[in-house]
Amino acid sequence: MKNKDLEDLKMKLAKFAQDRDWDKFHSPKNLVMALAGESGELVELFQWLTESDSQNLSDKQKHRVEEEIADIFLYLLRLSAKLDIDLIEVANSKILINEIKYPIERCYGLSNKYTDL
């Protein structure tokens, strides 16, 4: 069963694009490029912060991060709708795959990639 809130958000986002005649621009390729751009904007907000600073954002910094995360989420949601991908289903599937790749007894406390364990 699909998440109702996520489906409602997909529909709201599709209507937003349709009302502005933007659907014609929302090809998977263009959405991926927009997603990469928004990810870059999020990276920029953290670029020169220390580890400590990144964990203790000011209210203004946190607001800007929230806006970029929302942009990323909305582009990802729009892309998933265009490609008929159930985000919840594939995310749960990926967690199961990662549990196999990263068994607790081999990777606990380590940051190594699974190929280097």
Side-chain angles (χ1 to χ4, degrees):
M1 181 173 174
K2 293 188 176 190
N3 183 304
K4 183 176 177 354
D5 290 337
L6 200 57
E7 290 304 308
D8 288 349
L9 190 54
K10 273 187 193 180
M11 290 173 37
K12 185 185 292 186
L13 193 53
K15 183 176 180 345
F16 180 88
Q18 183 180 24
D19 288 350
R20 288 155 181 79
D21 194 28
W22 290 353
D23 193 56
K24 62 188 174 192
F25 305 119
H26 288 182
S27 67
K29 177 197 76 73
N30 287 351
L31 290 168
V32 168
M33 292 174 73
L35 180 60
E38 293 299 337
S39 295
E41 290 180 21
L42 180 61
V43 169
E44 182 181 18
L45 296 177
F46 287 90
Q47 185 173 8
W48 304 115
L49 299 181
T50 65
E51 288 293 325
S52 178
D53 290 342
S54 74
Q55 296 173 22
N56 298 291
L57 301 174
S58 69
D59 289 342
K60 182 179 179 181
Q61 288 171 312
K62 185 173 180 184
H63 179 73
R64 292 180 65 200
V65 166
E66 289 170 345
E67 287 185 340
E68 296 308 330
I69 286 175
D71 285 340
I72 290 165
F73 179 70
L74 292 171
Y75 276 124
L76 186 60
L77 188 61
R78 187 79 170 128
L79 177 62
S80 72
K82 286 290 187 172
L83 296 175
D84 194 28
I85 294 171
D86 182 328
L87 282 175
I88 302 298
E89 182 180 308
V90 297
N92 280 314
S93 177
K94 185 62 176 177
I95 289 170
L96 293 175
I97 290 168
N98 286 343
E99 285 176 347
I100 293 167
K101 286 182 179 180
Y102 296 97
I104 294 169
E105 63 276 2
R106 289 191 60 216
C107 68
Y108 185 82
L110 302 175
S111 63
N112 304 58
K113 186 172 178 173
Y114 72 95
T115 54
D116 296 332
L117 292 175

